[in-house]
Amino acid sequence: MSTGFIFSEVFLQHNAGPQIPHFENSDRLLACLNRLHQASYFSSLYKPEMKDLPQDFLKEVHSSYHLQKIENSKERRGYFDSDTPFTEKSWLAAYSAANSGLALADAIISGQIRNGFSLLRPPGHHAEHNRIMGFCMLNNVAIAARYLQKNGFKKIFILDWDVHHGNGTQEIFYTDPTVYYLSIHQFPFYPMTGSLSEMGEGSGVGTTKNIPMQANSDNQSYIRKFKEIVIPTMERFEPDIVLISAGFDAHKDDPLGGMNITTTGFEELTRITLESADKVCQGKVLSFLEGGYDLIALSESVEAHLAVLNSFS
């Protein structure tokens, strides 16, 4: 089996334009692609094609009101919130980003890939069941999780190492014991959620875990938390698959974060995660791009992340 990789030109169509400078823009993906095309393994990756997105399936994750807001944004310009502008084709990029996870899921289900990565935008982990926020329109990783559950994967572990807490993913699965959400993030920081006390509700108590990290935490601080908390938690849960919300804005050079992880640090976090996934779910891992806003740091970290995925396929 091989490693899957998805990118679509449609992801580039969500841009606020030169009149509205924004950190989350298409240059992020273009920088990553330029870096990846220089990697010796890139041409050998399995690149599945995306089918039509089943629109009704999105209601498994988001409310009708949420989806209608996106529908109403077609061919217009404006803001969903102060951080999240939209233009004429933003809706199309958002649907395609969500759809990319389904294509990777299909490739996992059919046995064509062992793991995979989606170089997508807009990101998704801040999008709640009924709220667009924080650059995020649809919750890509949550949509993939529900799709996988519809196709035989009962227990899913979501690991989120973006510098920001994934409030949307947590909220969507907060009462669900079948999806374990674990986030390691800078705290206190946007969106001011993700404290130690947030552990789930109802049947979901115990399947949400947050690891708040102080600003300026470095490679060793993160690696220690992975070995002491993240990996033991994952192995106890015994998931059928691991999904990663792979934000790289905890990089020391990122303009929006306040952490000190290096590219080598992200490479090691990926390796530690894949070694554990080998034990608990036969290495089935799907990874989704979240944040990362310094073009050099992002592109180097994405390439290092994908190289490790490929080495485990």
Side-chain angles (χ1 to χ4, degrees):
M1 286 187 286
S2 60
T3 290
F5 175 81
I6 284 194
F7 165 78
S8 171
E9 295 284 341
V10 178
F11 301 158
L12 305 178
Q13 297 188 31
H14 167 57
N15 269 327
Q19 296 81 16
I20 314 173
H22 201 280
F23 282 106
E24 205 297 283
N25 60 65
S26 58
D27 288 345
R28 300 173 64 233
L29 301 198
L30 294 173
C32 292
L33 284 173
N34 183 60
R35 177 81 181 188
L36 290 171
H37 280 296
Q38 299 173 46
S40 59
Y41 61 82
F42 185 68
S43 61
S44 67
L45 300 177
Y46 179 76
K47 301 177 177 69
E49 292 186 9
M50 288 190 285
K51 303 172 186 176
D52 290 339
L53 177 68
Q55 295 286 318
D56 287 345
F57 178 75
L58 295 178
K59 294 178 181 177
E60 297 284 335
V61 174
H62 294 294
S63 69
S64 296
Y65 171 77
H66 183 109
L67 298 174
Q68 191 60 52
K69 285 186 70 174
I70 295 174
E71 286 293 311
N72 292 343
S73 75
K74 289 182 177 181
E75 311 307 326
R76 298 172 53 224
R77 288 175 175 255
Y79 283 84
F80 291 116
D81 72 1
S82 60
D83 291 321
T84 316
F86 63 85
T87 56
E88 291 84 354
K89 299 297 182 183
S90 294
W91 64 274
L92 187 58
Y95 285 153
S96 295
N99 200 11
S100 70
L102 275 57
L104 286 176
D106 282 337
I108 280 264
I109 293 163
S110 64
Q112 292 168 300
I113 64 173
R114 190 181 192 201
N115 58 49
F117 176 72
S118 180
L119 184 68
L120 61 80
R121 60 181 293 275
H125 74 153
H126 292 308
E128 298 182 352
H129 173 70
N130 198 40
R131 186 182 182 189
I132 297 169
M133 63 177 287
F135 310 170
C136 302
M137 296 169 62
L138 295 170
N139 196 306
N140 306 308
V141 72
I143 290 166
R146 285 295 186 230
Y147 184 78
L148 285 160
Q149 288 187 316
K150 290 285 187 181
N151 288 277
F153 290 77
K154 295 179 180 179
K155 294 172 67 179
I156 295 176
F157 190 92
I158 299 176
L159 168 59
D160 188 337
W161 67 49
D162 191 279
V163 77
H164 305 99
H165 179 243
N167 60 291
T169 312
Q170 175 174 291
E171 182 251 3
I172 289 165
F173 298 117
Y174 207 54
T175 61
D176 187 343
T178 67
V179 178
Y180 200 116
Y181 177 70
L182 186 150
S183 177
I184 181 168
H185 50 271
Q186 185 174 330
F187 186 86
F189 203 44
Y190 180 89
M192 303 309 294
T193 54
S195 68
L196 283 170
S197 63
E198 296 166 25
M199 298 182 290
E201 288 182 352
S203 298
V205 169
T207 53
T208 293
K209 187 184 293 291
N210 289 294
I211 306 175
M213 301 289 284
Q214 292 183 345
N216 298 312
S217 295
D218 59 9
N219 292 348
Q220 290 308 311
S221 298
Y222 268 76
I223 290 169
R224 188 180 310 113
K225 293 294 186 182
F226 265 62
K227 291 182 177 179
E228 293 177 355
I229 302 176
V230 176
I231 297 309
T233 301
M234 182 191 302
E235 293 180 354
R236 282 194 300 269
F237 186 65
E238 297 182 327
D240 299 311
I241 191 169
V242 174
L243 307 184
I244 304 175
S245 274
F248 298 99
D249 39 7
H251 196 286
K252 66 182 183 62
D253 294 331
D254 195 272
L256 296 187
M259 293 304 203
N260 280 319
I261 301 181
T262 67
T263 300
T264 302
F266 280 117
E267 182 180 18
E268 183 62 17
L269 296 182
T270 306
R271 182 172 292 106
I272 293 169
T273 303
L274 268 289
E275 287 173 351
S276 175
D278 260 358
K279 298 176 186 176
V280 298
C281 57
Q282 298 78 50
K284 294 183 177 68
V285 175
L286 294 180
S287 180
F288 303 79
L289 182 63
E290 296 285 359
Y293 305 99
D294 179 89
L295 299 185
I296 295 174
L298 174 64
S299 58
E300 289 180 352
S301 298
V302 163
E303 194 279 320
H305 178 65
L306 189 54
V308 176
L309 286 170
N310 186 58
S311 73
F312 276 82
S313 65

